[in-house]
């Protein structure tokens, strides 16, 4: 009698690795994704995988199917449920409050979430049981405020991030602490405070300046020696004060010269960019500004990408004639908008000039005009400045 063919068995560690790979959601659970995102006044592109819950729920459906294969797989995969928790689901009774202990990412998207959290986590020591790495929020509610008070106890928290921008509230700067690497957005430090705000771990930061800032331009000392991405937003000003000169330059004077990405958005302001920026940020690679660029950077400066705010500033006509050619290492122009077949988001002369100079002209999704126009079968009429669809 011939021996039956045997199927070699895999070690359990390999099976577990395969299962973890099958249910992985790499971008959605990447706490460092927002660290390199600098385009625009939004905090993360709403269409990106990092901000898409559907990617996670699709993986959860896959995890449930795989769990039915055998009891061992089910037992192993059970520990990966509730990696993402919406506090709204707890408020509605869909989930039990205790599932928060398993969450890697928590979404706070309702003002009423605070009551649920207060009932669940009474003692600050309970925060040590949380594994959360990412907190996103739509409004600054009691949940977020309570977490901020005990941010030092959240040993795994890396990112606190607004889903909607600063319209619904900003985070007090005292939230900076613990292992936090990314914080978007925070309130401007109160000039009346004598505290030194510092963090060795902070890598990316968005500061939202309220209108009241322009009445008193003094800032408290803030030192973040490892800061690489800085975004400063100001929706309103007093008509005579530029945040680039009154806030950004003094703030940069307090930092180490390691910033690589800088975005300054100032609505309805056309002041010149202070030349000190280039000296204060000698390693700057990407800069986005709504103010007038001013003199080009030194020939030795490595900055290679320029982000243009949208709608385009009134000085746009100067860019393709006197600005683009003078930046020694400029390789990319990014328009803070998305290509579409109806409205051209930048003038035709920009695109033509970039093509002549070998500069990539792209949108906020980092799709170049050449890539987009090829996919959509579009062309340009250089004389009439219209998009032509065959």
């Amino acid at each position: 009698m011939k021996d039956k063919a045997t199927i070699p068995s895999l070690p359990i560690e390999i099976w577990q690795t395969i299962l973890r790979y099958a249910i992985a959601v790499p971008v959605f659970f990447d706490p460092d994704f927002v660290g390199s995102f600098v385009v625009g006044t939004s905090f993360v592109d709403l269409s990106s995988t990092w901000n898409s819950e559907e990617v996670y729920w699709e993986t959860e459906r896959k995890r449930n199917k795989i769990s039915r294969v055998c009891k061992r797989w089910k037992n192993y995969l059970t520990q990966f449920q509730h990696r993402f928790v919406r506090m709204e689901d707890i408020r509605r009774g869909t989930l039990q409050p205790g599932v928060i202990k398993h969450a890697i990412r928590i979404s706070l998207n309702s003002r009423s979430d605070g009551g649920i959290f207060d009932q669940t986590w009474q003692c600050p020591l309970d925060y040590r049981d949380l594994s959360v790495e990412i907190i996103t929020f739509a409004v600054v509610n009691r949940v977020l405020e309570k977490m901020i008070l005990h941010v030092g106890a959240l040993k795994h928290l890396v990112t606190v991030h607004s889903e909607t921008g600063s319209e619904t509230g900003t985070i007090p700067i005292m939230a900076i602490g613990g292992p936090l690497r990314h914080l978007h957005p925070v309130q401007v430090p109160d000039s009346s405070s004598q505290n030194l705000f510092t963090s060795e771990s902070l890598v990316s930061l968005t500061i939202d300046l309220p209108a009241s800032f322009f009445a008193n331009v003094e800032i408290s000392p803030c030192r973040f020696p490892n800061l690489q991405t800085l975004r400063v937003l100001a929706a309103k000003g007093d008509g005579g004060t530029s945040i680039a000169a009154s806030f950004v330059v003094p703030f940069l004077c307090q930092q180490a010269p390691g910033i690589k990405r800088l975005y300054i958005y100032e609505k309805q302001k056309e002041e010149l960019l202070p030349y000190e920026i280039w000296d204060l940020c000698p390693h700057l690679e990407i800069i986005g500004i709504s103010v007038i660029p001013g003199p080009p950077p030194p020939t030795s400066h490595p900055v290679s990408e320029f982000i243009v705010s949208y709608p385009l500033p009134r000085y746009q006509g100067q860019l393709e004639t006197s600005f683009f050619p003078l930046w020694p290492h400029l390789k990319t122009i990014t328009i803070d908008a998305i290509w579409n077949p109806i409205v051209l988001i930048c003038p035709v002369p920009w695109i033509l000039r970039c093509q002549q100079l070998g500069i990539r002209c792209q949108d906020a999704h980092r799709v170049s005009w050449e890539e987009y126009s090829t996919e959509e079968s579009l062309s340009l009429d250089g004389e009439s400045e219209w998009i032509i669809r065959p």
Side-chain angles (χ1 to χ4, degrees):
M1 184 176 178
K2 294 182 178 180
D3 295 335
K4 293 182 178 180
T6 58
I7 300 177
S9 59
L10 292 175
I12 188 172
E13 294 81 7
I14 295 181
W15 274 117
Q16 290 177 349
T17 300
I18 294 173
L19 292 175
R20 290 196 302 271
Y21 181 82
I23 65 169
V25 198
V27 177
F28 187 75
F29 287 123
D30 181 4
D32 291 311
F33 178 85
V34 297
S36 60
F37 188 87
V38 294
V39 176
T41 53
S42 60
F43 291 92
V44 159
D45 177 12
L46 296 178
S47 64
S48 73
T49 308
W50 191 87
N51 218 37
S52 173
E53 293 183 11
E54 180 55 34
V55 176
Y56 169 76
W57 297 121
E58 178 63 31
T59 305
E60 277 296 279
R61 289 189 283 271
K62 182 190 299 183
R63 186 184 65 82
N64 290 331
K65 290 179 181 179
I66 298 175
S67 296
R68 300 190 189 107
V69 173
C70 66
K71 188 175 181 180
R72 285 186 177 180
W73 286 17
K74 180 179 180 180
N75 292 338
Y76 180 71
L77 291 173
T78 298
Q79 65 182 300
F80 297 101
Q81 63 183 350
H82 306 307
R83 291 174 291 172
F84 170 58
V85 171
R86 294 181 301 199
M87 294 298 289
E88 183 73 11
D89 292 333
I90 295 179
R91 185 182 69 83
R92 293 174 177 174
T94 307
L95 295 176
Q96 294 298 313
V99 302
I100 303 175
K101 292 184 179 180
H102 306 289
I104 298 174
R105 177 168 174 163
I106 295 176
S107 174
L108 313 174
N109 54 12
S110 170
R111 292 185 183 274
S112 58
D113 289 343
I116 298 294
F117 195 89
D118 290 342
Q119 296 170 13
T120 309
W121 309 102
Q122 294 287 347
C123 176
L125 294 178
D126 289 339
Y127 287 85
R128 298 179 183 179
D129 296 332
L130 299 182
S131 301
V132 61
E133 298 179 8
I134 303 170
I135 295 175
T136 61
F137 65 95
V139 294
V140 177
N141 55 20
R142 284 183 292 159
V143 183
L144 190 59
E145 290 172 351
K146 198 163 187 178
M147 284 186 166
I148 287 169
L149 290 175
H150 305 290
V151 68
L154 296 169
K155 301 299 183 183
H156 304 283
L157 184 60
V158 173
T159 298
V160 178
H161 176 272
S162 170
E163 297 173 349
T164 57
S166 60
E167 293 83 0
T168 50
T170 52
I171 309 164
I173 199 166
M174 64 277 299
I176 297 174
L180 268 176
R181 294 199 290 270
H182 312 287
L183 195 54
H184 307 269
V186 299
Q187 298 169 0
V188 61
D190 187 348
S191 60
S192 64
S193 173
Q194 299 302 315
N195 295 330
L196 169 63
F197 298 102
T198 183
S199 171
E200 295 283 341
S201 61
L202 200 66
V203 174
S204 71
L205 176 68
T206 296
I207 296 177
D208 183 70
L209 296 175
S212 58
F213 165 77
F214 295 93
N216 188 345
V217 297
E218 295 182 8
I219 62 173
S220 294
C222 300
R223 294 174 189 166
F224 311 118
N226 295 307
L227 192 64
Q228 295 183 11
T229 299
L230 174 64
R231 302 168 73 243
V232 182
L233 312 177
K236 297 179 180 179
D238 64 358
T241 305
S242 168
I243 63 167
S246 62
F247 178 82
V248 176
V249 169
F251 183 87
L252 290 174
C253 287
Q254 300 178 10
Q255 314 308 318
I259 292 179
K260 297 181 179 180
R261 294 169 286 270
L262 176 64
Y263 187 92
I264 307 170
Y265 177 79
E266 190 168 3
K267 190 175 181 180
Q268 297 178 343
K269 189 68 66 173
E270 294 192 3
E271 302 289 336
L272 286 173
L273 179 71
Y275 196 78
E276 301 96 305
I277 294 288
W278 307 120
D279 295 328
L280 294 170
C281 303
H283 305 291
L284 195 65
E285 299 171 356
I286 302 174
I287 185 167
I289 50 177
S290 60
V291 298
I292 300 174
T299 55
S300 60
H301 201 285
V303 63
S304 60
E305 180 175 342
F306 179 72
I307 302 171
V308 184
S309 61
Y310 190 87
L312 300 177
R314 290 196 294 269
Y315 60 81
Q316 57 180 281
Q318 304 173 23
L319 297 183
E320 73 268 13
T321 57
S322 60
F323 171 70
F324 293 169
L326 297 180
W327 282 42
H329 303 291
L330 187 64
K331 297 178 181 178
T332 305
I333 298 290
T334 301
I335 312 298
D336 185 15
I338 308 301
W339 297 120
N340 67 83
I342 306 300
V343 179
L344 192 60
I345 61 175
C346 71
V348 169
W350 279 29
I351 298 176
L352 299 178
R353 186 61 168 155
C354 284
Q355 291 174 341
Q356 293 174 357
L357 297 173
I359 297 173
R360 178 183 175 90
C361 184
Q362 63 183 19
D363 68 0
H365 284 173
R366 309 193 77 78
V367 176
S368 72
W369 166 253
E370 289 76 15
E371 294 165 347
Y372 177 76
S373 59
T374 299
E375 182 178 348
E376 298 292 327
S377 300
L378 300 175
S379 59
L380 296 173
D381 183 338
E383 295 183 1
S384 62
E385 300 190 6
W386 284 94
I387 304 175
I388 301 174
R389 183 186 291 275

